[in-house]
């Protein structure tokens, strides 16, 4: 069999597996079969050139994880008010540090996945947006390279989040916001650093995430087929990860399939803005297959239900899309069962990337959380689009 056939077959497998784990698995939208490939390619290029999403930037910073991985973050500061007379400080006491809202993104995404929420909060509250290791502008995980490479664990990501907090928000109250893998990262932080949660965290938002039992998710596929895939997937991913360049060539050649998978497993509504869909596609397709392979085992091992107790006395938002095929809404309901005082929100006609698909709904509930946490006054106006 020639090289062309080999990389094409690897590309199809890589596309399907990478998107399955990231929030887009098997299944292609039928309507794509009726549109010429060149037309679709031109449309993607046009959306890349004109799409307004993902362009928000803040003050950059870098934190060094304990294994040497460089973690990239950005800070959006509160806009300065009209200058006023300096207030007299009693006994030289400093002004209290501002509240910081820290956003953690999901698997195969990056900090830009919070585009709409970032735009809404910009200038109103201090925010930190960071890229998880091997994602976005952060460095490739040092522990995941070389002859002694190990797979990523959710605990590892929790330590990374602590590193970013220490660098970007070393003092002052915190609100922690996490989507999918980012929510799991927040749970791992709570498990490993309960004193941080007790002393500094004033609110938590868990969006489209899970506290465990991800091995039971079927992704909307027949159970027998999913079980068969699970048996072979770790080995296949390892093989594909060792042939990253070959797989990426194949994935580019199967861009139409890739886009269809992302749309199916990221969104539920039929009228998603094409520019938003393409924005999500770009984020996911930028994740190399070796990164997909390194992170995948962590989800089967993830079990942080006990860690949720650390949030028991805090304002908590537990939100998910009602048709999330990756981390089903039942997992968010299970989180709310363990945190009975949490606000449970199931967004209708929404998939895994609910914060992009229905940004108004997510921003509105996040704004309410910030009011309950005392971060912003009631009645504050947020820009939802």
């Amino acid at each position: 069999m020639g090289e062309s056939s080999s990389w094409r077959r690897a590309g199809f497998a890589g596309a399907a597996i990478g998107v399955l784990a990231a929030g887009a698995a098997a299944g292609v939208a039928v309507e794509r079969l009726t549109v010429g490939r060149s037309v679709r390619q031109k449309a993607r290029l046009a959306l890349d050139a004109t799409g307004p999403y993902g362009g928000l930037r803040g003050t950059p910073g870098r934190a060094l994880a304990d294994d040497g991985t460089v973690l990239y973050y950005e800070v959006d500061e509160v806009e300065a008010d009209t200058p006023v007379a300096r207030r007299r400080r009693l006994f030289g006491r400093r002004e209290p540090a501002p509240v910081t809202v820290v956003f953690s993104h999901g698997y195969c995404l990056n900090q830009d996945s919070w585009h709409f929420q970032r735009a809404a909060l910009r200038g109103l509250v201090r925010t930190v947006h960071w890229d998880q290791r091997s994602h976005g502008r952060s460095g490739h995980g040092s522990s995941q390279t070389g002859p002694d490479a190990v797979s990523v664990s959710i605990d590892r990501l929790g330590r990374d989040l602590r590193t970013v907090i220490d660098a970007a928000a070393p003092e002052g109250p915190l609100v922690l916001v996490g989507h999918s893998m980012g929510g799991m990262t927040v749970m791992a932080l709570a498990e490993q650093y309960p004193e941080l949660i007790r002393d500094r965290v004033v609110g938590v938002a868990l969006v489209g995430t899970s506290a465990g039992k991800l091995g039971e998710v079927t992704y909307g596929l027949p159970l027998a087929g999913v079980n068969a895939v699970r048996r072979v997937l770790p080995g296949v991913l390892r093989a594909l990860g060792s042939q990253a360049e070959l797989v990426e060539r194949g994935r580019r050649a199967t861009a139409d399939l890739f886009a269809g998978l992302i749309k199916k497993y990221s969104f539920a509504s039929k009228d998603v803005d094409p520019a938003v869909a393409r924005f999500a596609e770009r984020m996911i397709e930028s994740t190399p297959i070796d990164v997909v392979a390194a992170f995948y085992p962590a989800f089967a091992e993830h079990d942080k239900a006990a860690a949720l107790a650390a949030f028991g006395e805090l304002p908590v938002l537990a939100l998910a899309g009602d048709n999330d095929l990756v981390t089903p809404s039942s997992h968010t309901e299970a989180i709310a069962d363990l945190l009975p005082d949490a606000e449970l929100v199931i967004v209708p006609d929404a998939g895994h990337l609910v914060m992009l698909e229905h940004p108004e709904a997510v921003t509105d509930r996040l704004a309410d959380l910030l009011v309950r946490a005392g971060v912003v006054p009631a009645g504050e106006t947020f820009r939802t689009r």
Side-chain angles (χ1 to χ4, degrees):
M1 183 177 292
E3 184 191 38
S4 176
S5 297
S6 297
W7 68 254
R8 186 178 298 111
R9 184 175 61 181
F12 273 96
I17 291 171
V19 179
L20 167 67
V28 180
V30 174
E31 68 269 15
R32 302 185 74 83
L33 301 177
T34 65
V35 182
R37 176 178 295 179
S38 63
V39 173
R40 293 195 296 271
Q41 184 177 24
K42 290 178 181 177
R44 285 196 294 271
L45 291 174
L47 290 171
D48 288 346
T50 61
Y53 308 121
L56 299 177
R57 300 270 64 91
T59 303
R62 288 169 175 81
L64 194 65
D66 58 23
D67 69 343
T69 301
V70 177
L71 304 172
Y72 177 84
Y73 64 85
E74 294 179 1
V75 179
D76 289 352
E77 299 286 358
V78 177
E79 290 180 355
D81 294 328
T82 303
V84 295
R86 183 185 298 273
R87 285 177 290 179
R88 185 166 60 91
R89 292 179 179 173
L90 298 178
F91 304 104
R93 226 178 252 173
R94 294 186 307 164
E95 294 292 330
V99 177
T100 301
V101 185
V102 182
F103 286 84
S104 299
H105 68 78
Y107 184 31
C108 296
L109 300 171
N110 61 50
Q111 63 177 268
D112 292 339
S113 61
W114 295 107
H115 174 88
F116 293 106
Q117 292 70 42
R118 184 174 190 171
L121 296 180
R122 200 158 198 162
L124 299 176
V125 63
R126 187 176 193 269
T127 60
V128 170
H129 300 261
W130 69 294
D131 293 328
Q132 303 244 30
R133 62 175 49 221
S134 305
H135 292 71
R137 293 173 173 82
S138 283
H140 202 95
S142 297
S143 301
Q144 287 73 57
T145 58
D148 299 322
V150 296
S151 296
V152 177
S153 68
I154 300 299
D155 287 342
R156 165 78 269 172
L157 303 183
R159 294 196 296 275
D160 286 351
L161 176 54
R162 177 62 189 264
T163 298
V164 170
I165 289 173
D166 287 347
E171 56 182 350
L174 301 168
V175 175
L176 305 176
V177 183
H179 167 251
S180 193
M181 182 179 76
M184 302 173 203
T185 301
V186 169
M187 298 175 207
L189 177 79
E191 182 177 68
Q192 297 173 90
Y193 306 103
E195 74 288 348
L196 177 71
I197 307 301
R198 181 186 64 246
D199 296 342
R200 295 187 56 196
V201 175
V202 297
V204 178
L206 302 171
V207 179
T209 190
S210 172
K213 299 185 178 179
L214 287 168
E216 299 174 4
V217 176
T218 66
Y219 304 100
L221 301 174
L223 182 59
V226 171
N227 287 337
V229 168
R230 285 200 181 103
R231 285 195 294 272
V232 302
L233 193 53
V236 171
L237 279 174
R238 284 194 298 272
L240 291 172
S242 68
Q243 301 291 327
E245 183 178 352
L246 190 66
V247 173
E248 294 309 320
R249 289 168 58 192
R251 192 159 69 172
R252 289 192 295 271
T254 58
D256 290 337
L257 170 65
F258 193 78
L261 296 173
I262 291 174
K263 185 175 180 181
K264 176 178 175 63
Y265 279 85
S266 297
F267 308 110
S269 53
K270 297 184 183 301
D271 58 349
V272 176
D273 181 349
V276 170
R278 175 57 187 157
F279 172 47
E281 182 185 342
R282 286 204 318 272
M283 282 191 287
I284 296 173
E285 71 184 3
S286 68
T287 307
I289 190 63
D290 58 329
V291 174
V292 175
F295 277 70
Y296 178 76
F299 302 110
E301 300 167 0
H302 170 62
D303 181 1
K304 291 289 183 279
L308 295 173
F311 306 139
E313 302 299 320
L314 298 173
V316 175
L317 169 65
L319 182 148
D322 68 341
N323 196 30
D324 188 333
L325 299 177
V326 181
T327 50
S329 58
S330 59
H331 286 236
T332 293
E333 292 170 348
I335 290 172
D337 287 343
L338 294 171
L339 295 170
D341 292 331
E343 180 186 18
L344 172 63
V345 178
I346 305 299
V347 180
D349 197 28
H352 189 56
L353 299 188
V354 59
M355 69 284 192
L356 291 175
E357 186 174 15
H358 295 287
E360 296 92 346
V362 176
T363 300
D364 179 70
R365 302 327 304 159
L366 181 58
D368 183 69
L369 173 70
L370 296 181
V371 171
R372 289 189 287 133
V375 176
V376 296
E380 183 67 74
T381 301
F382 293 83
R383 185 167 66 85
T384 57
R385 290 292 291 196

